[in-house]
Amino acid sequence: MQRTTTTRTSSMAWMKHQGRCSYPRSYHPHHLSRSTLSQKTTSFRHATELAHRMDFRHLEQEQVRVGIVGAGAIAKATAALLTQAGHATTMLWSPSGASLPYDSDTTTMTATGAMDFEFSTKITQSGKQLVADNDVIVFALPANGHKKVFDELAPWFQSGQHIIISSHSSLGGLYLSQLLQKHNVHGVSITAWGTTPCTARSSKNVEERTTVNVNTIRQNVDTCTIPFKVQSQATTLCSRLFGDRIEFRPRDGLLAISLSNLNPQNHLGIALGNISRMEKGEAWYQFENVTPTIGRFLEQLDEERLNIAKALNLEVKTIFDHFSQGFHVPITDSISDMNQEIHKGGKDVYGPTSADSRYVTEDVPFGLTLVVAFGELTNRPAILHQSGLQILSAMCGRDFMNENDLLNALDLKRYDLADLQEAAFTGSLPANSLLISHSGKEDVHTMSGN
């Protein structure tokens, strides 16, 4: 059975030929009141001015300095991918101070599995130094840690630097863009990835903290950049840094990328179907246990996401594309069958051994909540997503709906769908928006005044 993606988005109307900024149809001046037009014109002008300040020429040098925020499996595997591609030097920083050896400024790490080699990377204990010493900063840590490090590092960025969020969650790129503007940091572009460039695991054993097992390297990664005007240059940069093994596929804005991350919905189905195994700490294979029942649930979750994307005229990959491209198996008409092929091919991984897994504590509050919010905005209710969120909240005795500090800070209720569609390309919300400061207090700031 042939599976296809949703209809092609019309949002490329946001740009004229050769990348010159233009109003999208839904924001054409004839369709807006004078006050609304004034705000939106200011936002477009602001984004265009920022784009003109961005220069990627210094990132065309033979060796680009890449700083990586994080010290988990994905962060270490990202450093391995960059090193193997041959166009970057890397530096790692652990915000928690764990998982890295600090007896030297440089350490040798070992990649196993889909990669098999030793590589050298720099180590720093200072986030400020990481930003100061590198051209590109990659955020490669769980979504529930994004806001804290965004808040900490934002004041230190300089014009000309490039940021990559791997992977993007809960409109974090928009939050960071607003935060940079609040600190009067301009000329910094932000690329958001719909997923990580690979899957990986690392041991919790201190003696093995310099080893990372790379399970799979993805064939392609969905990507977008704000401001949209520099997306072409940013995509070229990603391709150069990571080499030919990964195809970076441009998508149209942060809303498309936000709906391109399938891990939260997939992990919801896997967690609900195997929660007792997780809680009892059993050893079980993840893909093998995507049984026909769980597979059908995942397919229905995906239908909700695709319906929302269709309402927004956005092109996103299907769950069938996700498993085929991410784990190199042929597309069939059954997600369960595809997962069994992953297992038979020796690419399976052990599932979580705790109910406190990131499948629950990260993906539920930072993945499901945004889909539910988009469902409400588009009048396409994500009933299964919301039900899963509520069920796991009840199971864990927590209120996951209110644990998303990124969405709480952005306070989406202040904006309509048109505002968010525009901000997904410009990185700027309307004037007089409100941003929650690091201290938890409310700071009102006028975007056009920066």
Side-chain angles (χ1 to χ4, degrees), residues 95-370:
S96 67
S99 303
L100 289 176
Y102 292 110
D103 51 344
S104 173
D105 292 339
T106 304
T107 190
T108 298
M109 294 196 169
T110 302
T112 61
M115 306 177 73
D116 187 12
F117 78 114
E118 290 187 345
F119 63 98
S120 178
T121 183
K122 295 179 181 179
I123 303 292
T124 180
Q125 298 185 58
S126 165
K128 183 178 180 180
Q129 181 185 5
L130 185 86
V131 175
D133 289 357
N134 292 281
D135 309 301
V136 176
I137 302 297
V138 179
F139 289 91
L141 72 165
N144 49 13
H146 282 186
K147 182 178 182 296
K148 182 178 179 180
V149 292
F150 289 167
D151 291 342
E152 180 176 349
L153 299 185
W156 310 119
F157 282 98
Q158 300 292 324
S159 178
Q161 288 183 295
H162 186 68
I163 294 170
I164 297 173
I165 304 176
S166 170
S167 61
H168 181 263
S169 180
S170 293
L171 296 179
L174 179 57
Y175 173 80
L176 180 55
S177 178
Q178 294 282 104
L179 193 62
L180 292 173
Q181 294 170 46
K182 177 176 180 286
H183 287 288
N184 285 315
V185 175
H186 303 299
V188 176
S189 49
I190 301 172
T191 288
W193 289 348
T195 188
T196 57
C198 59
T199 61
R201 294 286 175 94
S202 59
S203 173
K204 295 181 180 180
N205 190 327
V206 174
E207 286 72 26
E208 299 178 6
R209 60 187 174 183
T210 58
T211 298
V212 59
N213 183 67
V214 181
N215 188 43
T216 60
I217 299 173
R218 303 197 195 274
Q219 291 179 332
N220 52 71
V221 172
D222 291 340
T223 180
C224 81
T225 299
I226 50 176
F228 188 72
K229 184 179 180 65
V230 297
Q231 177 154 301
S232 177
Q233 297 100 304
T235 303
T236 299
L237 173 65
C238 290
S239 298
R240 180 170 174 272
L241 290 178
F242 286 87
D244 297 334
R245 299 185 71 168
I246 303 171
E247 178 189 0
F248 291 92
R249 294 185 171 180
R251 298 291 185 184
D252 295 334
L254 283 178
L255 299 194
I257 288 298
S258 297
L259 288 169
S260 294
N261 188 346
L262 280 75
N263 286 335
Q265 68 178 43
N266 294 344
H267 292 166
L268 167 64
I270 291 168
L272 283 177
N274 296 278
I275 193 69
S276 61
R277 287 190 175 100
M278 294 165 59
E279 195 166 23
K280 292 168 68 176
E282 295 179 3
W284 57 283
Y285 280 114
Q286 176 171 301
F287 298 115
E288 181 185 27
N289 283 284
V290 177
T291 59
T293 302
I294 294 177
R296 283 190 292 272
F297 180 46
L298 295 182
E299 291 171 20
Q300 290 300 306
L301 284 166
D302 201 51
E303 285 298 320
E304 288 188 341
R305 181 184 63 90
L306 294 176
N307 284 336
I308 294 170
K310 185 176 181 179
L312 292 168
N313 284 325
L314 294 173
E315 178 190 4
V316 296
K317 67 176 65 175
T318 69
I319 189 173
F320 296 89
D321 297 327
H322 169 81
F323 280 110
S324 176
Q325 296 166 5
F327 299 94
H328 316 298
V329 296
I331 292 179
T332 71
D333 62 354
S334 166
I335 286 301
S336 177
D337 288 349
M338 293 179 69
N339 275 262
Q340 301 315 306
E341 287 300 313
I342 296 172
H343 175 72
K344 293 175 184 177
K347 297 177 182 177
D348 210 337
V349 295
Y350 285 113
T353 55
S354 168
D356 196 35
S357 160
R358 65 181 178 85
Y359 284 22
V360 176
T361 58
E362 176 189 356
D363 288 332
V364 173
F366 287 88
L368 302 185
T369 51
L370 185 63

Side-chain angles (χ1 to χ4, degrees), residues 77-97:
T78 299
L81 285 167
L82 286 163
T83 302
Q84 190 175 68
H87 293 289
T89 60
T90 61
M91 176 185 287
L92 290 169
W93 171 59
S94 169
S96 67

